[in-house]
């Protein structure tokens, strides 16, 4: 029997809809870049930008770049509407090397890294965006991590779903918060190489001697299948998190498939910890998600806020402080 663990009192700010449906807007531009040997190259490139209708341009907002291919990442719209961020779907269309690659980023797909940087700069200018995060699935996940290795100064954090790095070709150049997701039944990507990638980022972030915090995540279709290990207190406040989905295969873990674990909530909960604080009154930027577990087993909740430090939280159960 599954029981729902409920968080009864936690105040935050929610964005209200205005009755109009936002859509992904295709943006085309000319990229001036080079190939790996330095020869100049021009490419016609595109990306898709999703901006929630009620997200004003008077205040800087974060962006999540999805490095998965040539179509909008509509599965992030719900969370973008709720939390207030831009979804930027990167496209490999027009890439002379044939697409985002899992090879050596200094040789294969070299111009893709210039492309991602240019997209970040363009969205910052056009939509008053500030913090940039990347996420990708499979080969797209490799691109997300490889870009994080090569150009960490442009990002606040990065993520990969069901993918690992080539540890001899992808070398992190600076500490950066990283969260990775992997299923134990992934027939395309081995669990061990992903774990090795996690260890590589732990080393770069100065977290090899840190003890992990183990949390028990909701997987409401098959409860008790998902846990997250998080190493905190790294260089510059970095963290590394590794989500294990027992029985998960090579696909985006969503609320309507397999275990019912929704990686989107966990992704934003992790990213939102690294938003640039604008000071002022506390504002909750990531609300706790519902959590269903086997009766008698632990359930974990998390929350993130911005505002003038220090910020304190008070959790309640049935109206009583805990």
């Amino acid at each position: 029997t599954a029981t729902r663990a409920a968080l009864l009192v936690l105040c935050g700010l929610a964005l209200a809809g205005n009755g109009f449906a936002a859509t992904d807007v295709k943006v085309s531009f000319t990229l001036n870049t080079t190939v790996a040997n330095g020869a100049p190259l021009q490419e016609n490139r595109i990306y898709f930008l999703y901006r929630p209708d009620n997200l004003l341009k008077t205040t800087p907002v974060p962006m999540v770049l999805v490095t998965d291919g040539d179509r909008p990442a509509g599965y992030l719209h719900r969370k973008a509407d709720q939390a207030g961020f831009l979804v930027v779907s990167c496209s490999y269309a027009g890439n002379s090397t044939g697409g985002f690659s899992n090879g050596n980023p200094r040789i294969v797909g070299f111009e893709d890294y210039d492309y991602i940087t240019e997209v970040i700069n363009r969205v910052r200018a056009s939509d008053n965006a500030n913090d940039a995060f990347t996420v990708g699935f499979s080969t797209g996940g490799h691109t997300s991590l490889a870009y994080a290795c090569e150009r960490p100064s442009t990002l606040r954090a990065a993520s990969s779903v069901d993918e690992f790095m080539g540890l001899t070709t992808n070398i992190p150049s600076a500490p950066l918060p990283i969260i990775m997701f992997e299923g134990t039944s992934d027939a395309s990507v081995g669990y061990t190489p992903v774990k090795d990638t996690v260890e590589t980022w732990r080393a770069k972030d100065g977290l090899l001697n840190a003890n992990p915090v183990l949390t028990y995540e909701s997987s409401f279709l098959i409860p008790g299948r998902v846990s997250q290990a998080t190493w905190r207190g790294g260089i510059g406040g970095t963290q590394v998190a590794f989500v294990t989905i027992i029985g998960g295969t090579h696909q985006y873990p969503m609320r309507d498939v397999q275990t019912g674990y929704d990686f989107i909530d966990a992704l934003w909960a992790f990213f939102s910890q690294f938003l640039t604080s604008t000071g002022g009154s506390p504002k909750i930027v990531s609300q706790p998600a519902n959590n269903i577990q086997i009766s008698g087993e632990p359930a974990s909740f998390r929350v993130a806020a911005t505002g003038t430090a220090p910020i304190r939280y008070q959790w309640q159960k049935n109206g009583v402080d805990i």
Side-chain angles (χ1 to χ4, degrees), residues 292-306:
I292 295 177
Q293 297 290 348
I294 300 296
S295 181
E297 296 300 315
S300 303
F301 299 94
R302 57 175 57 86
V303 61
T306 61

Side-chain angles (χ1 to χ4, degrees), residues 298-322:
S300 303
F301 299 94
R302 57 175 57 86
V303 61
T306 61
T308 302
I311 296 174
R312 297 175 63 245
Y313 301 90
Q314 178 62 62
W315 294 86
Q316 295 185 331
K317 178 180 179 181
N318 297 331
V320 178
D321 290 353
I322 57 173

Side-chain angles (χ1 to χ4, degrees), residues 19-88:
F20 300 96
T23 59
D24 289 277
V25 176
K26 181 179 178 180
V27 180
S28 303
F29 68 98
T30 299
L31 175 68
N32 293 299
T33 181
T34 64
V35 294
N37 64 10
L41 177 68
Q42 274 195 340
E43 291 183 340
N44 296 320
R45 303 298 292 261
I46 66 169
Y47 61 92
F48 298 90
L49 176 62
Y50 177 84
R51 184 184 188 97
D53 286 317
N54 43 22
L55 203 57
L56 301 178
K57 288 190 178 182
T58 54
T59 302
V61 294
M63 69 177 103
V64 175
L65 292 95
V66 184
T67 56
D68 277 351
D70 57 356
R71 60 184 60 86
Y75 54 85
L76 280 177
H77 289 180
R78 171 185 60 85
K79 181 56 70 174
D81 291 341
Q82 178 191 55
F85 61 83
L86 308 175
V87 180
V88 184

Side-chain angles (χ1 to χ4, degrees), residues 237-271:
T238 52
Q239 299 179 22
V240 172
F242 184 27
V243 176
T244 297
I245 305 166
I246 297 175
T249 60
H250 197 68
Q251 64 175 303
Y252 266 132
M254 301 281 198
R255 59 176 60 181
D256 58 347
V257 299
Q258 292 189 344
T259 66
Y261 171 74
D262 190 351
F263 92 98
I264 297 171
D265 287 334
L267 180 74
W268 182 248
F270 184 83
F271 282 172

Side-chain angles (χ1 to χ4, degrees), residues 48 53 88 108 130 132 138 155 157 184 189 230 273 286:
F48 298 90
D53 286 317
V88 184
V108 184
N130 54 359
S138 193
L155 300 176
T184 60
V189 173
T230 307
Q273 299 175 94
S286 179

Side-chain angles (χ1 to χ4, degrees), residues 144 151 192 201 269 300:
S144 173
R151 303 188 183 181
T192 297
W201 280 104
S300 303

Side-chain angles (χ1 to χ4, degrees), residues 80-189:
D81 291 341
Q82 178 191 55
F85 61 83
L86 308 175
V87 180
V88 184
S89 304
C90 297
S91 173
Y92 51 70
N95 179 7
S96 65
T97 61
F100 289 147
S101 171
N102 58 2
N104 187 332
R106 297 175 184 85
I107 300 174
V108 184
F110 181 85
E111 66 270 35
D112 282 326
Y113 302 93
D114 286 345
Y115 160 74
I116 294 172
T117 300
E118 180 66 16
V119 170
I120 291 173
N121 291 336
R122 284 175 172 270
V123 174
R124 281 177 174 157
S126 68
D127 280 74
N128 194 17
N130 54 359
D131 299 327
F133 305 87
T134 60
V135 62
F137 168 76
S138 193
T139 305
H142 179 95
T143 300
S144 173
L145 293 175
Y147 184 79
C149 287
E150 296 296 307
R151 303 188 183 181
S153 63
T154 66
L155 300 176
R156 299 293 289 178
S159 177
S160 172
V161 182
D162 294 348
E163 184 58 306
F164 58 92
M165 298 191 311
L167 300 185
T168 60
T169 55
N170 302 126
I171 311 299
S173 57
L176 190 72
I178 299 290
I179 182 170
M180 299 186 64
F181 304 83
E182 179 59 28
T184 60
S185 298
D186 188 338
S188 300
V189 173

Side-chain angles (χ1 to χ4, degrees), residues 274-300:
F274 307 103
L275 295 171
T276 299
S277 177
T278 57
S281 300
K283 175 184 177 182
I284 290 178
V285 292
S286 179
Q287 295 277 8
N290 289 336
N291 197 335
I292 295 177
Q293 297 290 348
I294 300 296
S295 181
E297 296 300 315
S300 303

